[in-house]
Amino acid sequence: DFPIENAYDSFLSQHGGDDNAYTDMEHTLYHYCIPQDNNSKHVWKALEMFSSFFKCPLLKGEMADRELKAVESEFELNKNSDDARLSQLMSFTCGMDGNAPIMDKNWNEKIDGGGSSEKPFHPFAKFPWGNMNSLKTEPEAKGIDVMEELRDHYNSHYYAQNMRLVVMAGYELDEIQRQVVQYFKDVPANPRSNVDNGGVATTTNLHPYKLPFHSS
């Protein structure tokens, strides 16, 4: 719907708005704000453009490369902070079943003489950040197509049952609902690609831990 790169950011900037996004643990949050105008056209145009990310994103390789450089820069800037070190310590602790990528083969012998728990591999035992090495260098060395993996991740996780939308605006609730339905009704309810659970989201990657899953 919006084939020009950065059209969304440009539109917000032109009309006094801004946007940002971040990933924290297993959640990613995208947010923006824009001043309300007299006829509301800018507000709803921004909502339409925002909705396109969850229906038909560009996901171009050159755009991903630029974003990767930003991720690497942020990693280098913060990797020695106390928060980053605490996060890595938590990952190490979660990986103490011997299966975590951050462990060497002899870690359990060094710690407890060879004992090992039987708990399943915890997803937080993985490297909790992203950088050039983890997102490009190592995957490509293993023959992995990073862009294919990126698109597969989008198709597997960006669907309505897996997301929540919050809209705050100074309009009647019926009008807000009408606009939201108009622009987000085409977001698929289930994953776009086949998943191991028959195509319906009924579990999470914490399923082996018998944690509850709320489908709505």
Side-chain angles (χ1 to χ4, degrees):
D1 293 345
F2 300 97
I4 300 176
E5 183 180 345
N6 293 325
Y8 171 70
D9 288 334
S10 297
F11 181 83
L12 291 179
S13 297
Q14 290 170 9
H15 301 288
D18 61 74
D19 66 297
N20 210 331
Y22 65 85
T23 296
D24 183 20
M25 303 299 184
E26 69 272 24
H27 297 103
T28 298
L29 186 146
Y30 303 88
H31 60 93
Y32 77 93
C33 64
I34 187 170
Q36 294 184 193
D37 52 340
N38 293 332
N39 58 13
S40 73
K41 64 178 181 179
H42 296 157
V43 174
W44 303 132
K45 183 65 174 180
L47 186 67
E48 179 186 8
M49 300 178 80
F50 181 73
S51 71
S52 69
F53 298 142
F54 311 101
K55 297 181 293 185
C56 50
L58 298 180
L59 290 181
K60 294 181 178 179
E62 58 272 22
M63 297 168 63
D65 286 340
R66 286 194 293 274
E67 183 63 24
L68 180 56
K69 292 178 181 177
V71 169
E72 173 70 9
S73 176
E74 183 178 354
F75 173 75
E76 288 294 330
L77 181 65
N78 295 285
K79 66 179 181 180
N80 292 322
S81 69
D82 289 343
D83 286 343
R85 291 179 176 184
L86 177 60
S87 177
Q88 190 63 30
L89 178 61
M90 292 172 63
S91 297
F92 182 89
T93 303
C94 289
M96 292 182 66
D97 58 357
N99 294 322
I102 61 175
M103 303 293 185
D104 63 52
K105 295 181 179 179
N106 300 318
W107 80 269
N108 55 340
E109 295 179 2
K110 297 176 183 177
I111 295 177
D112 62 5
S116 178
S117 69
E118 296 180 355
K119 67 182 179 182
F121 171 71
H122 195 290
F124 193 58
K126 299 179 180 179
F127 177 47
W129 282 55
N131 61 8
M132 188 71 72
N133 189 55
S134 67
L135 297 175
K136 184 176 178 66
T137 306
E138 288 190 3
E140 289 183 349
K142 297 176 181 178
I144 296 173
D145 187 326
V146 176
M147 282 306 302
E148 182 178 343
E149 289 293 320
L150 176 63
R151 295 186 180 101
D152 182 65
H153 179 86
Y154 177 86
N155 290 331
S156 299
H157 297 283
Y158 280 68
Y159 57 95
Q161 292 189 69
N162 215 26
M163 298 186 288
R164 300 295 180 268
L165 174 68
V166 177
V167 177
M168 299 176 61
Y171 303 104
E172 295 290 337
L173 290 178
D174 288 346
E175 174 63 9
I176 296 175
Q177 180 177 348
R178 187 182 71 82
Q179 298 288 349
V180 167
V181 170
Q182 176 182 355
Y183 295 129
F184 288 88
K185 67 181 188 304
D186 293 328
V187 176
N190 295 309
R192 297 168 177 81
S193 57
N194 294 326
V195 293
D196 198 25
N197 53 22
V200 178
T202 56
T203 63
T204 69
N205 55 6
L206 295 181
H207 180 65
Y209 289 84
K210 309 301 181 184
L211 297 177
F213 174 78
H214 304 284
S215 57
S216 62

